[in-house]
Every structure is written in C-alpha cells, then in structure tokens.
Amino acid sequence: MIWRFLSYYKPYKKLFFLDFTCAVFLALLELLFPIAVNQVIDRLLPGKDWSIILLATAGLLFFYIVNTLMHYVVTYWGHMLGINIETDIRQELFEHIQRQSFHFFDNNKTGHMMSRLTTDLFDIGETAHHGPEDIFIALMSLFGAFFLMLSINWKLACITFVLVPILGAFITLFNMKMTHATDQIYQDIALFNANVENAVGGVRVVQAFSNEGYEKNQFKENNKIYRKAKLFSYKIMATSVTTNYFFMRLITLFTLVSGSWFVIHGQLSSGQFVAFLLLSNVFVQPIEKFNAIIELYPKGIAGFKRFMKLKNQAPEIVDRQDAITIDAIYGAIDYCDVTFGYEGKKPVLTHINLHIHPGETVAFVGPTGAGKTTLCSLLPRFYDVSTGRIMIDGIDIRDLKLASLRKHIGLVQQDVFLFSGTLRENVAYGKLDATDEEIWRVIKLANLEETVARMPNGLETVVGERGVKLSGGQKQRLSIARMFLKDPSILILDEATSALDTATELVIQQSLETLSEGRTTLIIAHRLATIKNADRIVVVTENGIDEQGTHDQLLKKGGVYSRLYESQFSRTM
C-alpha cells in the first residue's frame, strides 16, 4: 500500500525534489545554529572583538533570510504537491466509480460514495506533503542532533538519549490506536452522510408524512455516534500529546541537570553547555514532529486504505480486450438462450429466445417482477447475462466497446433524472456539442416550445435539483428532446408515460411516436392502451416469454394478454 501511495508522486517529481531539498536545508541550518552559538560564546566573546561578532551575526542573518525563503517554499509549494496528489486520487476514484455496473450502485449508498470522494481524501494531501518529508527530516534532525551532542560530550549525549526508545514505543502504540479510531470515524461519517442525503433528498416525503420528528431523532442518534467516535480519537490524541510533552520536558530537564554537573566539574565549557541545551531542543523537535505525524498519518492512511478498498473493486462490466467500435447499426436484436439472475438469486429470466427486426416496435407487457425491465437493461449492458448472449446486427454485444454500444441505444424512463443546471444544459446532455439550431429543432419535435416560452429565462432557466421546478410532463418532454438530440438507432421506453395524466400522456405519446420512427423500439408498458399500435407485443411472465403477436392477435388468442387487457379495461369503465 505504501508503494502504491508513493506512485502518486511520480508526475510531480520536480516539485517533490524542490520541497524535499528545501526542507532538508532547513533542518541542517537548524542543526548548525547551536554550533554557531557555541563558537560565539567560547571563541568570539573571550576575544572581545566587536566587529568580528557583528560580522558573524550578519552571516547568521543571511542564513536566516535564506531559511525564511525556504520556509515559504516548503509551506506553499509543499502543500501544492499534497493537493495535486489529493486531486489526482479523487479524479481517479470518480472515474473508477463511473465505470461500475448497476450492481455496484444497487449495493452502495450515494452518501457513502460522497464520503469516499470528499471526507476520506481530506487528509491525504496533508499526508502526501508532510509524510515522507517530515519522517525523513525528523530522523535526520534526531540523529544529526545526537551526533553533534556526541561530538561535544558523549557521556551527556548518552544520558539524554536514554528516554528516546521509551518515547518511541509510546509513539508506535498511539499510532496503531489512532489508525483504528480514524477508520471508525470515516465509517461513521459515511453513514452520517448517507442518512443526511436520504433525509434532505426525500424531504418532500418526510414532510408529506409529517415525519420530521422521526428524522430529527434519527439524525440525533447518528450525530451522537459520530461524536462518540471523534471523542475517542481525541482521547487517544490527548494521551499521546501529554505523554510526549512530559517525556520531552524530562529530556530537557535531564540535559540541564546533567550538563550543570559536567560544567561544575570542568568537563564542559559554558559555550558547549549552551550549545548542548540548544541541541537538546533541536533533538526533541523531531519527537514533536513524530507526535504531529501520529495525529495526521493515521487519517491519511485510513482514507487511503478506504480508497484502495474501493479502487480494488474491479468493474463487473468492462470492454473485452478485442472489443470493436461500430459507427452505425441497423437495429436487429437477438436474445439467444439468455438467463439472468441478480447476485446469485433465483434467475429472473430463464432461456429467453427472441428476435427483433430492424425498425420494429416491440412492446413488453406482463405482471410486475416478471423481468420486462431486466430484459431491456441487459441490452445496453447495465447488467451482463449469466448465460447465453445478446446480439445486435449479428454481433455479440460483449464484443462491442461499451461506449460504442451505448451510443446507439437511447433510454427514456418513467423517473426522469435532470441535472440541477439550466434547460439548455439538460437538453444538450444528449449531444454535448449541440448548436442552438439543433437544440431548438429537438425542442419543437418534443412539443416543448410553449414550456420554454413560458419560462422566465427561456433556455437559461435553472430547473432545480432533479428538475423540481418542472412538472412531470415537462420533465418527460425534456428527456424526449434530449433523446432526439442523441439520435440513437435503438430506443427503450421504460414506463415512459405511466406516471402522467391522460391529457399529458396523449401529448407525450405523440412525441414518442415521432421519436420512434425509423428506430428499433422496445417499450415496457403497464397501460396496454398505449401499445395497441406496436408491431408486436411480447408477454413476459415468470415462465419467460408466454406469448407474442399483434394486439388483435393476442386478444383473439384469449391468453394472458387478453386477461390483462380485459382487467384494465374493466377498471376504467
């Protein structure tokens, strides 16, 4: 995992080298300062030559100016390195999520995904900047200060170093505890975000059922769980900080007492004693840095672990190595002995065989749960068949690149999803580089002209989150305009008008008939009156394809379709 993390530094080698070099020089200059003080006290002060002292001070001032500039480089450019790596990881994760199959989204909450892309990655940038740099600098400063202390008085240096292994053991222990605590915090945040996303996204349902009190209590409980996890991490952090503080002050106290004894017995000069005290402060600084790393490192690594866990979930549906791209299709579809089930459950479809001619309009009807939507979802490979194969123009759809396959298939659903941008942006999603002329053409084809004319800002009107400012019929017409712009060869209409009133349904139905012209069209419908004119009606039951034919043929047959039609007709009388 560490090597995988370090691989993200590769595009920013120059930036890392600049930051790392400046940080090393900063640490070296910090080590040299106590030696300079030692020389001033033991050599320059006894000579009482003020000009030399001023010259030495000017030299130190120059080094401090250089140090200041390097501090700026480490602070700004170092953090730039960290945020660059964080941005790359976030982009990679988003693209990975986008490639996942519908199975993945069926089993993962939106709030959890949001946490993976935001909260989990917040500390990765800081870890990327401070992790390798701080660990190296801390070790260099620790051992550098120790060897300089050895050169001054090896006995005093050894006495000072005695407490370091004990402190190191505490640091390791707290690091392990913090990693576990941080991982728990991220899990709780993910759950917290998922619940908030549900409550806010479903606020209309919440208010319609007057369940604000229930949601408030749910939020309160989740808030408490999150608070408890945070307090546990702060408890570990507080214990770590206070333990380290005590041991570091103990090291300084040891140095002060022991150094005084050596000075009194003539084994240490005043300048050496002062230098040793300054070096002891440099010596404990890396320990403080280790303490800061203990707080930061587990957060970054816990976030990276969760990133890796999700990244290692390979997409179920991918392009085959020799997959091809096709520029145009005629629209002939063949389901060849297709069987499919969701995640090892009982198969929804079993041994389905069906041929659809190019340009044919085929309607799928049948009881709820029989597999009508599943049958159509297999065509654009939202799911892959368990056994058998699906062919388009004689080519197995798994031999086509996903982007190429889905480019030629359009889907209009009952539940229209609109982005929170403008009308123009939502229509243009069907063809991102569409001109104004093309957009207005499809708006006319979808009978959306009057709607746009009534909008306060025309095409620039913001539709709100999920198109909340539009009626069901307006949203459906907008989705049809979007589909006209995409201009697919195969069209899937999944309950496209079932949620609309009769008058609106008639208008939408006209638009859909215009959209279907010249395309192979698959219609999933519950309202049988809307599919009378289909070229063929396929009745899907738990047993598979039970019967098929035209509306009139199936009524005469007196089978499942006839009973469904009579049932609906009698309810409308």
Side-chain angles (χ1 to χ4, degrees):
M1 188 188 67
I2 296 297
W3 283 114
R4 179 67 185 274
F5 185 70
L6 292 176
S7 70
Y8 288 96
Y9 287 85
K10 193 173 181 180
Y12 309 106
K13 287 184 286 187
K14 292 180 180 177
L15 193 57
F16 176 75
F17 180 76
L18 174 66
D19 171 51
F20 199 81
T21 303
C22 288
V24 169
F25 272 109
L26 279 172
L28 288 173
L29 290 171
E30 287 295 323
L31 287 171
L32 291 175
F33 179 70
I35 304 302
V37 172
N38 179 10
Q39 297 302 314
V40 170
I41 294 173
D42 282 351
R43 294 192 179 185
L44 299 185
L45 282 181
K48 299 179 181 180
D49 191 332
W50 183 244
S51 60
I52 295 177
I53 292 173
L54 285 177
L55 187 64
T57 305
L60 282 174
L61 177 62
F62 170 76
F63 282 113
Y64 275 129
I65 291 171
V66 173
N67 243 15
T68 302
L69 294 173
M70 288 185 177
H71 264 295
Y72 180 84
V73 171
V74 170
T75 304
Y76 178 71
W77 296 98
H79 280 100
M80 181 188 288
L81 169 69
I83 195 64
N84 285 350
I85 290 172
E86 180 186 335
T87 302
D88 287 351
I89 290 174
R90 184 173 286 113
Q91 183 69 33
E92 185 179 320
L93 184 59
F94 177 77
E95 291 174 7
H96 182 71
I97 290 172
Q98 289 283 93
R99 291 194 298 269
Q100 294 294 334
S101 70
F102 278 23
H103 269 311
F104 175 85
F105 296 103
D106 292 343
N107 297 319
N108 287 279
K109 296 178 180 179
T110 303
H112 284 191
M113 293 302 99
M114 291 299 295
S115 275
R116 297 292 185 277
L117 286 164
T118 53
T119 313
D120 286 12
L121 303 182
F122 282 162
D123 293 302
I124 282 183
E126 286 296 302
T127 305
H129 170 210
H130 292 290
E133 174 189 301
D134 282 8
I135 291 172
F136 181 83
I137 301 305
L139 288 171
M140 189 187 77
S141 299
L142 184 71
F143 289 105
F146 179 63
F147 284 121
L148 287 174
M149 291 159 77
L150 278 175
S151 67
I152 295 171
N153 189 297
W154 69 270
K155 294 178 183 177
L156 184 55
C158 290
I159 292 171
T160 305
F161 196 76
V162 164
L163 294 174
V164 173
I166 301 171
L167 190 54
F170 274 104
I171 287 173
T172 304
L173 176 65
F174 290 131
N175 187 297
M176 292 169 63
K177 287 187 175 182
M178 275 299 290
T179 301
H180 174 72
T182 304
D183 190 53
Q184 184 60 49
I185 287 171
Y186 282 148
Q187 289 182 38
D188 292 336
I189 289 175
L191 180 62
F192 183 81
N193 286 346
N195 288 327
V196 170
E197 194 266 339
N198 274 338
V200 174
V203 67
R204 286 166 178 77
V205 177
V206 172
Q207 293 183 0
F209 283 89
S210 299
N211 280 342
E212 292 92 339
Y214 171 78
E215 292 298 334
K216 182 181 74 174
N217 290 331
Q218 287 285 95
F219 184 86
K220 189 176 182 179
E221 288 303 311
N222 289 322
N223 218 5
K224 282 181 180 178
I225 292 170
Y226 178 55
R227 175 183 176 273
K228 186 178 178 181
K230 288 284 281 186
L231 281 177
F232 178 63
S233 72
Y234 287 138
K235 185 177 182 180
I236 296 170
M237 190 192 306
T239 307
S240 173
V241 169
T242 51
T243 303
N244 288 339
Y245 174 83
F246 174 74
F247 273 99
M248 285 187 291
R249 294 302 171 261
L250 207 58
I251 289 171
T252 304
L253 189 62
F254 263 46
T255 306
L256 182 63
V257 174
S258 304
S260 299
W261 189 90
F262 281 105
V263 171
I264 290 169
H265 289 81
Q267 296 183 30
L268 202 66
S269 69
S270 298
Q272 287 175 325
F273 182 43
V274 172
F276 210 98
L277 280 173
L278 291 173
L279 281 169
S280 70
N281 285 326
V282 175
F283 184 71
V284 297
Q285 281 176 10
I287 300 171
E288 290 179 333
K289 199 175 282 289
F290 279 128
N291 199 33
I293 292 170
I294 282 180
E295 182 182 342
L296 175 64
Y297 180 82
K299 293 179 183 177
I301 292 303
F304 191 73
K305 275 183 179 178
R306 291 166 72 78
F307 159 74
M308 287 292 294
K309 185 178 179 181
L310 184 53
K311 192 72 173 61
N312 289 336
Q313 283 186 252
E316 294 178 14
I317 298 174
V318 294
D319 289 331
R320 283 180 172 175
Q321 194 171 1
D322 55 350
I324 61 172
T325 299
I326 51 174
D327 296 324
I329 64 173
Y330 295 102
I333 302 169
D334 286 283
Y335 288 82
C336 307
D337 198 31
V338 168
T339 297
F340 174 79
Y342 292 98
E343 296 187 352
K345 296 179 182 176
K346 181 183 175 183
V348 179
L349 302 170
T350 308
H351 303 297
I352 299 294
N353 290 282
L354 180 66
H355 174 72
I356 299 171
H357 301 284
E360 186 179 13
T361 297
V362 176
F364 295 93
V365 301
T368 301
K372 303 183 296 296
T373 298
T374 301
L375 197 64
C376 293
S377 295
L378 293 172
L379 188 61
R381 290 189 70 196
F382 293 148
Y383 304 94
D384 261 344
V385 297
S386 302
T387 61
R389 58 181 178 167
I390 300 174
M391 317 276 281
I392 292 180
D393 293 347
I395 305 171
D396 190 324
I397 59 173
R398 289 169 295 190
D399 291 329
L400 299 173
K401 289 188 176 179
L402 277 171
S404 179
L405 170 67
R406 292 172 182 174
K407 175 186 175 183
H408 297 292
I409 299 174
L411 175 63
V412 179
Q413 296 174 293
Q414 172 189 334
D415 183 19
V416 178
F417 183 90
L418 297 181
F419 297 95
S420 58
T422 63
L423 278 168
R424 178 193 298 277
E425 289 168 344
N426 274 284
V427 172
Y429 206 76
K431 183 183 177 185
L432 297 176
D433 59 349
T435 63
D436 278 359
E437 184 182 347
E438 289 175 310
I439 290 173
W440 278 110
R441 181 181 66 82
V442 299
I443 283 174
K444 290 175 184 176
L445 288 170
N447 294 314
L448 199 61
E449 269 185 302
E450 285 186 27
T451 300
V452 175
R454 288 197 300 267
M455 291 291 173
N457 298 312
L459 282 176
E460 304 308 322
T461 302
V462 175
V463 300
E465 189 172 4
R466 296 183 67 90
V468 70
K469 295 181 181 179
L470 302 179
S471 69
Q474 289 171 334
K475 286 195 285 187
Q476 196 61 273
R477 272 176 276 181
L478 199 155
S479 74
I480 292 169
R482 187 161 63 188
M483 199 52 62
F484 268 119
L485 204 54
K486 183 179 181 180
D487 193 25
S489 300
I490 297 173
L491 185 63
I492 300 172
L493 305 178
D494 188 356
E495 308 276 3
T497 61
S498 62
L500 305 175
D501 61 80
T502 306
T504 306
E505 183 181 28
L506 288 172
V507 177
I508 300 297
Q509 199 64 40
Q510 290 173 3
S511 298
L512 289 174
E513 286 174 7
T514 305
L515 179 60
S516 301
E517 288 177 7
R519 309 175 201 274
T520 303
T521 306
L522 312 184
I523 303 173
I524 302 165
H526 277 145
R527 292 187 187 178
L528 304 186
T530 63
I531 56 162
K532 286 182 180 180
N533 299 324
D535 298 322
R536 189 168 21 139
I537 297 169
V538 175
V539 182
V540 182
T541 66
E542 290 182 358
N543 300 321
I545 296 176
D546 205 294
E547 54 188 23
Q548 53 183 307
T550 64
H551 172 73
D552 293 335
Q553 287 171 344
L554 293 176
L555 282 182
K556 289 177 182 177
K557 190 174 181 181
V560 177
Y561 179 80
S562 177
R563 290 193 294 273
L564 284 172
Y565 187 79
E566 287 174 6
S567 173
Q568 283 194 13
F569 184 74
S570 63
R571 286 202 302 268
T572 59
M573 294 297 289

